[in-house]
């Protein structure tokens, strides 16, 4: 300190600056220059000054951020805009198809610039800053609502407590999204410690990062040395001062965030050559886990034109790296009964680590596959796993010494009913429509995360509910009473309340989830989304096979399967009971494109448009957060007048509403980036 007299105010200011600098060295530079004890002494001195002089306290003081059981449990945080996921592509054909779709949806001749980032294998997190100060961190959760992990995120490297101004004004409010990861070397150290303490090791860095962030005690998070990399944002406004993703990332860096190195590409050929370089070595050299490239259209104006589906942006895609392989021993073959009674042989394996996870079982699909692969118990097999794709057996690499023959069961392993094999089909099925195993699978699927997302209705709860005959189909879930749940094993008061709250919350899930949850044959998440975006539930109940087949990407088999369900008495009755239980199953809201610059504005189109159809123009307005209407009033923001515009144009002029030509309208849209 200088000769100037030390006042409590000046001393506390100096201590805060010191502590922040030591935090930076510890968390950001990973090169602390003082011991933990010296650091603690600085904290203690500051705390005592603040206690003696309450006027010196401030919510962003380092003393407010330390231990002392700051956080207890996590409260829910509703995301201002949903945290979406990315579509995946796995090969050249798929990424080319994505590129073709992008080009087709941009004005003819417009060539987008692409930005390539690694797809970090961590957990996503949204950080909110107000007036440059860190105020909140939330996990992704179900994409709509996450958990408040603010206190713990303060101990994640690369989460600045204050944004750096770097010669510019910091945005008043800003939500930065990114990935929290654990570097491989830190992961190994943590696992070594866990084993020393007699605890089971974490299966992969991602799980470990997730467990470390969602801790009751922020001090545990602190010790785990997690790191945050910025890759996207929650809201966007012109005053944030970036008009493309690359500019956004550059701004993130200057605000004090870590950003992974990124590359630009100007064509699909460029994308492919860069992808090959990473796939064939570059990615493996990184100190953290990645499972593919993320390809994004750089310009925000073009991103807006491309828009979103219900779950992901059309302007970005993941291009996954291929599978990784390992060998292990088959210990036994178990048979599991699926939702439709199909009996699937599953190989139980000597646990083996592959592509970031420990694998201990793998489905063999059917008994023909066992024959084709020539698998016997005790064989050493080569398995493969790509990203989150389920692992599979490629071939036997070493035969077992003892010969054993695997035969299909003659009785259902669950209910003991006879097993049948239909003519021409490979699968063996349990013939009992009320087989409890089938019902269990149906319920588990209904409650699963991409379906109705009823946390707490997992295998063990489902087992008991079916065992006690409390639930005979999915609609019965909604009639469950607290006393019934309290009767189940391991269900105490709080757990029962939580499950009932989850069941209640699932009543407002959207139609796409409900369609998927019903487990209709051949209907996956994507199909459910396509249908729900275009038909409401009543339309679906009254639709013909032709109506369904007219939807994009829906072929005759899927259309028939959907129709068979929604026109059947059982299907109609189930839907009626779900509705009666209070499920609304609304169409999913259209995703609003970044920033919603037209929020609150109404557009009216009149006359004949030349460059796009009226529907397309209205879609554009909606994708920017605006509304389209067919009647002009004083509240109309703009009337877009094509050729032959008549009475609506006159009314607009009379009311003084701004009138645009089609070109002027497209200009505005393009400038909104
Ligand atoms: S952009 C609309 N960039 O991957 C989604 N995501 O499947 C915008 N992820 O949960 C995200 N690395 O957390 C983006 N470089 C990257 C990423 C990345 C990993 C995660 C992300 C998301 C998941 C999407």
């Amino acid at each position: 300190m200088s000769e100037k007299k030390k006042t409590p105010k000046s001393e506390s200011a100096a201590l805060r600056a010191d502590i922040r600098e030591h935090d930076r060295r510890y968390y950001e530079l990973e090169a602390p220059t003082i011991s933990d004890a010296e650091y603690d002494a600085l904290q203690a001195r500051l705390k005592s000054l603040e206690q003696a002089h309450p006027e010196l306290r401030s919510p962003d003081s380092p003393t407010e951020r330390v231990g002392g059981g700051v956080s207890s449990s996590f409260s829910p945080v509703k995301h201002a805009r949903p945290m979406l996921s990315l579509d995946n592509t796995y090969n050249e054909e798929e990424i080319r198809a994505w590129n073709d779709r992008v080009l087709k949806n941009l004005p003819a001749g417009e060539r987008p610039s692409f930005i390539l980032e690694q797809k970090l294998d961590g957990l996503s997190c949204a950080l909110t800053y107000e007036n440059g100060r860190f105020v909140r961190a939330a996990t992704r959760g179900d994409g709509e609502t996450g958990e408040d992990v603010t206190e713990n995120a303060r101990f994640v490297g690369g989460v600045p407590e204050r944004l750096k101004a770097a010669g510019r004004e910091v945005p008043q409010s800003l939500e930065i999204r990114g990935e929290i990861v654990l570097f491989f070397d830190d992961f190994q150290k943590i696992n070594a410690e866990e084993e020393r303490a007699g605890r089971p090791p974490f299966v992969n860095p991602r799980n470990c990062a997730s467990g470390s962030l969602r801790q009751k005690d922020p001090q545990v998070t602190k010790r785990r040395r997690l790191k945050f990399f910025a890759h996207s944002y929650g809201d966007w406004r012109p005053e944030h001062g970036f008009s493309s993703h690359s500019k956004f990332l550059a701004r993130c860096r200057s605000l004090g965030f870590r950003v992974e190195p990124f590359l630009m590409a100007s064509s699909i050929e460029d994308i492919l050559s860069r992808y090959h370089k990473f796939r064939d070595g570059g990615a493996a050299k990184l100190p953290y886990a990645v499972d593919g490239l993320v390809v994004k259209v750089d310009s925000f104006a073009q991103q807006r034109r491309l828009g979103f589906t219900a779950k992901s942006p059309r302007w970005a895609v993941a291009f996954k790296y291929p599978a990784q392989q390992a060998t292990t021993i088959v210990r036994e073959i178990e048979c599991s009964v699926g939702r439709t009674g199909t009996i699937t042989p599953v190989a139980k394996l000597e646990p083996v680590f592959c592509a970031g996870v420990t694998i201990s079982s793998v489905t063999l699909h059917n008994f023909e596959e066992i024959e084709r692969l020539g698998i016997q118990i005790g064989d050493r097999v080569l398995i493969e796993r790509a990203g989150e794709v389920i692992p599979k057996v490629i071939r036997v690499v070493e035969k077992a010494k003892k010969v054993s023959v695997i035969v299909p069961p003659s009785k259902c392993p669950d209910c003991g009913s006879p097993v049948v094999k239909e003519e021409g089909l490979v699968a063996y099925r349990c013939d009992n429509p009320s087989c409890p195993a089938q019902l269990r699978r149906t319920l588990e699927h209904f409650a699963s995360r991409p379906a109705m997302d009823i946390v707490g209705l997992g295998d063990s709860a489902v087992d008991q509910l079916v065992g006690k005959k409390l639930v005979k189909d999915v609609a019965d879930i909604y009639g469950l009473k607290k006393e019934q749940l309290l009767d189940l094993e391991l269900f105490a008061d709080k757990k029962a309340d939580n499950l009932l709250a989850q069941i209640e919350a699932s009543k407002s899930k959207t139609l796409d989830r409900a369609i998927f949850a019903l487990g209709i044959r051949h209907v996956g998440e994507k199909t459910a989304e396509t249908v729900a975006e275009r038909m409401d539930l009543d339309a679906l109940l009254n639709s013909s096979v032709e109506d369904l087949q007219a939807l994009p990407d829906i072929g005759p088999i899927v259309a028939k399967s959907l129709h068979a369900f929604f026109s059947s008495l059982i299907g109609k009755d189930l839907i009626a009971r779900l509705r009666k239980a209070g499920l609304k199953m609304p169409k999913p809201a259209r995703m609003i494109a970044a920033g919603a610059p037209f929020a609150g504005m109404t557009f009216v189109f009149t006359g004949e448009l030349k460059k796009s159809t009226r529907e397309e123009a209205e879609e554009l307005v909606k994708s920017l957060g605006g509304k389209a209407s067919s009647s002009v009033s004083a509240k109309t923001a703009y009337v877009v007048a094509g050729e032959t515009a008549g009475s609506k144009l006159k009314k607009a002029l009379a009311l003084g509403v701004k009138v645009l030509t089609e070109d002027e309208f497209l200009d505005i849209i393009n400038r909104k980036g």
Side-chain angles (χ1 to χ4, degrees), residues 84-86 117-120 124 179 231-232 294 296 313:
L84 302 179
S85 54
L86 292 165
E117 294 163 24
Q118 296 296 333
K119 187 164 191 299
L120 294 164
S124 26
E179 210 73 3
H231 61 49
S232 50
V294 181
K296 300 174 181 171

Side-chain angles (χ1 to χ4, degrees), residues 454-456 485 491-504:
I454 307 177
V455 179
L485 295 182
F491 261 82
D493 210 50
K494 182 134 192 253
K495 190 160 165 188
D497 283 341
N498 285 348
L499 179 53
L500 288 173
Q502 284 281 329
I503 292 174
E504 191 58 34

Side-chain angles (χ1 to χ4, degrees), residues 51 58 94 102 114 130 136 205 255 291 302 327 330 344 354 374 383 397 413 423 468-469 504 512 514 529 540 590 654:
Q51 265 160 7
S58 129
E94 289 175 5
V102 166
F114 299 102
E130 268 154 30
R136 190 167 47 259
L255 288 167
D291 56 0
Q302 289 174 336
T327 73
V330 176
T344 307
C354 177
I383 59 164
V397 289
E423 246 336 277
K468 291 192 186 295
K469 301 203 166 41
E504 191 58 34
D512 50 332
E529 222 178 87
L540 187 52
R590 275 197 62 82

Side-chain angles (χ1 to χ4, degrees), residues 43-325:
Q43 285 274 14
R45 172 73 189 144
L46 178 57
K47 207 165 191 160
S48 79
L49 278 173
E50 287 174 346
Q51 265 160 7
H53 306 275
E55 77 280 6
L56 295 176
R57 285 194 197 158
S58 129
D60 70 329
S61 168
T63 53
E64 297 292 324
R65 320 196 264 110
V66 197
V70 186
S71 97
S72 50
S73 58
F74 306 110
S75 2
V77 178
K78 178 116 180 78
H79 297 301
R81 294 203 305 118
M83 286 180 84
L84 302 179
S85 54
L86 292 165
D87 260 353
N88 289 324
T89 59
Y90 296 94
N91 53 44
E92 181 168 340
E93 194 185 335
E94 289 175 5
I95 190 81
R96 279 189 188 276
W98 175 79
N99 179 62
D100 291 346
R101 281 196 299 278
V102 166
L103 296 186
K104 203 180 96 202
N105 286 305
L106 290 177
E110 206 169 296
R111 289 276 164 263
S113 218
F114 299 102
I115 174 163
L116 312 182
E117 294 163 24
Q118 296 296 333
K119 187 164 191 299
L120 294 164
D121 196 8
L123 66 145
S124 26
C125 190
L127 308 177
T128 306
Y129 286 83
E130 268 154 30
N131 297 314
R133 283 193 182 165
F134 171 64
V135 293
R136 190 167 47 259
T139 61
R140 178 174 188 275
D142 65 0
E144 305 280 337
T145 308
E147 297 154 316
D148 187 327
V149 287
T150 310
E151 293 315 317
N152 294 347
R154 292 185 200 277
F155 294 111
V156 172
V159 175
E161 196 58 40
R162 283 156 179 258
L163 298 180
K164 284 191 200 142
R168 297 166 71 167
E169 264 182 42
V170 292
Q172 227 179 32
S173 154
L174 183 66
E175 186 193 323
I176 297 292
R177 293 176 177 179
E179 210 73 3
I180 293 185
V181 298
L182 185 62
F183 281 36
F184 288 127
D185 55 351
D186 288 323
F187 173 62
Q188 269 151 12
K189 278 185 213 148
I190 293 168
N191 262 355
E193 249 169 58
E194 292 296 297
E195 286 189 54
R196 269 199 301 278
R199 290 188 292 265
F202 291 97
V203 286
N204 60 28
R206 210 203 73 80
N207 277 8
C208 183
S210 170
S212 306
L213 182 70
R214 294 156 72 247
Q215 282 289 332
K216 293 252 156 83
D217 177 3
Q219 293 300 327
V220 177
T221 311
K222 178 176 175 178
R223 287 199 293 273
R224 297 280 170 84
R225 302 168 74 88
L226 304 174
K227 301 194 176 64
F228 176 85
F229 286 87
H231 61 49
S232 50
Y233 46 84
D235 64 338
W236 179 88
R237 280 187 297 281
E239 60 269 28
H240 286 157
F242 37 85
S243 55
S244 67
H245 195 69
S246 48
K247 287 189 184 145
F248 160 71
L249 291 180
R251 181 91 167 106
C252 282
R253 273 202 189 119
S254 68
L255 288 167
F257 293 100
R258 278 168 206 258
V259 172
E260 283 180 284
F262 58 82
L263 293 171
M264 303 303 291
S266 55
S267 66
I268 181 69
E269 306 309 326
D270 253 15
I271 295 176
L272 284 163
S273 84
R274 283 157 196 267
Y275 168 81
H276 289 141
K277 272 204 190 122
F278 280 118
R279 185 197 62 187
D280 300 337
K285 294 201 186 91
L286 293 167
Y288 39 78
V290 299
D291 56 0
L293 270 189
V294 181
V295 184
K296 300 174 181 171
V297 168
D298 193 35
S299 140
F300 284 180
Q302 289 174 336
Q303 288 188 2
R304 293 213 170 91
R305 277 196 164 256
L306 294 163
F308 294 78
T309 66
K311 297 238 166 76
S312 48
R314 291 199 186 86
W315 45 262
V317 75
F319 189 4
K320 301 298 275 283
Y321 297 133
Q324 291 181 30
Q325 300 184 332

